[in-house]
Amino acid sequence: MLRNLLTTKSLAAITPLACMLISSSASAEDGYQYKMQSTTVTRSSATPASTPTEEMPEIKYELGKQPLHLHPGGASNEATIQDFPISKGLAGVSMFLKPGGLRELHWHANAAEWAYVIAGRCRITIIDPEGHSEIKDFGPGDVWYFPRGHGHSIQGMGNEECHFILVFDSGYFSEFATFSASDWLAQTPSEVLAKNFGMSASAFADFPKKEVYISQGPVPQTLPSEPPPESENPPPLTHQFHLLSKIPVVTAGGSMTLVDQKQFPISTTMSGAILKMKPYAMRQLHWHPNADEWQYYIKGRARMTVFGSKGRKITREFGPGDVGYVPMGNGHYIETVGDQECEMLAVFNAGDYQEISLSEWLAKTPKQVLETNFGVAPSIIDSLRKGSTLFSKPTGPVSIPN
């Protein structure tokens, strides 16, 4: 239907006796940061007492509250598997660049990079293995994708700070362990550099002696509207997509603006979307059969529940700067909290976006099958099979049981 319309520590398997011993002291575990009130991890009583099961891993990471790594030209922090164990398939970075601040020339050996600009402006440069290069300017709502191993740089522009979210298709990635040009040159003898570039060894005396990471320089000039003749060797596929220029899918409860490989061909391993949910609306029950989901909450508040099979679920509340994670195949839904619209970035580690809506599945399943499956009255089944997909209509404040 949609296609047509458009931490806590993860605990190992434990015995029922261990569950009773741990339950009274779980909130005191070192590293445990979240109050177990309306955001509880639960297991259905239907789970046989003799069958040990793993607890649900933590799905929330407060990225915006983590210390920033400060540099002359900007700052950043990250959410990787090291601090957010559930995020095996995707990692993320929140980066800020001052005007003229340069995230130096670098490449990532183990992950592709998908980015979304939240505020400000920046310029990217990139080169691919065939020698194609591209220089593009980005503003709010724009997306870039850099395939794994392609060399690139990012520089702040204009007169305000640029804030963007970087997402990588490996949870084991770290932005602070990338391959940087300054680091490589610093580790290479000047005599070797002299041979490589056909220069004297003394010419490299003033080069940085360690990784620069983010340096501060002048604000880059405006790109010419028409590049000079014979000045470019552009790639066959652009690295830029204007996501917020695309017409969104709109329902009574909100909107979703999605881009995947079909509209952005170079983005072969990742896709993403901006979701805007109205107050008291809900992103309906669904799952993604081919990808993990990495979320960054931009504004407003929301409550997400993830279903992990075997009678398990976990609920957390999110606000600006928080990161959420849903493993591939796990059912989930998201409800806005309060009277403000919630805006969220969702990124998936698959170039082809896929989802299955529970409402659509029930609507397309024979009535008799549903009656047998759930054992409820036919009239209720009729109502189940008329449900909408994507977002529910706003219904006003409701009381959520603990």
Side-chain angles (χ1 to χ4, degrees):
M1 179 71 71
L2 174 60
R3 176 70 64 196
N4 295 331
L5 290 172
L6 327 141
T7 355
T8 55
K9 297 178 180 178
S10 180
L11 302 177
I14 52 179
T15 65
L17 176 59
C19 288
M20 292 186 289
L21 293 174
I22 290 172
S23 61
S24 62
S25 59
S27 61
E29 286 285 327
D30 59 326
Y32 194 89
Q33 303 179 51
Y34 306 100
K35 295 182 179 179
M36 303 295 282
Q37 296 175 357
S38 62
T39 55
T40 56
V41 182
T42 64
R43 185 186 303 147
S44 169
S45 59
T47 302
S50 61
T51 305
T53 61
E54 291 185 355
E55 297 291 349
M56 287 287 290
E58 183 55 60
I59 61 170
K60 175 182 177 181
Y61 184 70
E62 295 178 311
L63 178 60
K65 294 183 179 180
Q66 306 308 310
L68 288 167
H69 293 252
L70 302 177
H71 301 272
S76 64
N77 53 18
E78 66 179 17
T80 71
I81 195 170
Q82 180 176 348
D83 300 304
F84 193 26
I86 194 176
S87 61
K88 297 177 181 179
L90 293 154
V93 173
S94 177
M95 185 169 289
F96 302 85
L97 291 180
K98 300 175 183 178
L102 176 68
R103 175 65 179 99
E104 70 160 309
L105 278 71
H106 65 284
W107 72 96
H108 310 297
N110 67 339
E113 175 178 316
W114 192 102
Y116 178 80
V117 180
I118 293 177
R121 300 191 61 80
C122 63
R123 175 174 297 167
I124 66 94
T125 69
I126 185 166
I127 188 167
D128 70 15
E130 288 74 39
H132 301 121
S133 62
E134 190 170 31
I135 302 173
K136 290 287 186 181
D137 291 345
F138 288 73
D142 287 345
V143 168
W144 70 71
Y145 177 86
F146 300 150
R148 182 179 60 190
H150 290 201
H152 56 279
S153 68
I154 313 163
Q155 188 168 22
M157 297 179 58
N159 54 11
E160 63 176 301
E161 186 176 64
C162 184
H163 180 207
F164 48 89
I165 301 298
L166 307 169
V167 187
F168 302 86
D169 58 1
S170 170
Y172 297 87
F173 166 88
S174 173
E175 176 67 12
F176 309 119
T178 56
F179 291 81
S180 298
S182 63
D183 189 21
W184 194 10
L185 294 181
Q187 303 305 316
T188 305
S190 56
E191 294 79 9
V192 173
L193 296 175
K195 293 178 182 178
N196 191 89
F197 294 101
M199 302 165 59
S200 66
S202 61
F204 299 93
D206 295 331
F207 274 65
K209 300 302 185 287
K210 62 180 182 179
E211 183 181 37
V212 171
Y213 194 71
I214 300 177
S215 60
Q216 181 62 55
V219 177
Q221 297 180 353
T222 303
L223 291 173
S225 56
E226 293 292 336
E230 301 181 2
S231 64
E232 292 187 338
N233 182 24
L237 300 175
T238 182
H239 298 82
Q240 182 178 51
F241 188 85
H242 301 294
L243 180 58
L244 290 192
S245 296
K246 184 182 176 185
I247 298 174
V249 175
V250 179
T251 74
S255 67
M256 180 175 179
T257 309
L258 170 73
V259 59
D260 68 2
Q261 189 181 359
K262 293 179 177 63
Q263 303 88 34
F264 192 24
I266 198 171
S267 187
T268 57
T269 67
M270 303 176 75
S271 54
I274 288 291
L275 289 83
K276 296 181 179 180
M277 296 171 53
K278 293 182 179 180
Y280 311 114
M282 185 178 77
R283 176 71 170 98
Q284 294 195 338
L285 281 71
H286 67 285
W287 73 94
H288 306 287
N290 69 332
D292 301 309
E293 178 176 347
W294 190 98
Q295 306 166 343
Y296 181 84
Y297 288 80
I298 298 172
K299 69 176 184 179
R301 300 196 66 81
R303 180 188 300 110
M304 179 170 70
T305 297
V306 176
F307 165 62
S309 75
K310 298 182 180 178
R312 301 173 304 151
K313 66 178 180 180
I314 181 171
T315 301
R316 289 289 181 262
E317 186 171 313
F318 300 82
D322 289 342
V323 170
Y325 197 91
V326 184
M328 179 172 60
N330 283 27
H332 55 288
Y333 58 91
I334 307 168
E335 304 164 280
T336 49
V337 175
D339 56 4
Q340 183 182 3
E341 180 182 78
C342 178
E343 182 176 349
M344 181 194 78
L345 170 69
V347 184
F348 308 89
N349 55 351
D352 175 31
Y353 176 82
Q354 297 180 11
E355 80 162 66
I356 297 177
S357 159
L358 180 60
S359 295
E360 184 177 16
W361 186 21
L362 298 184
K364 295 182 177 179
T365 299
K367 181 178 178 180
Q368 184 178 4
V369 172
L370 298 180
E371 291 176 5
T372 302
N373 196 125
F374 299 115
V376 295
S379 59
I380 296 178
I381 296 299
D382 290 337
S383 297
L384 282 178
R385 300 177 76 241
K386 294 178 181 178
S388 61
T389 60
L390 194 55
F391 298 102
S392 66
K393 295 180 180 180
T395 57
V398 294
S399 176
I400 303 297
N402 290 342

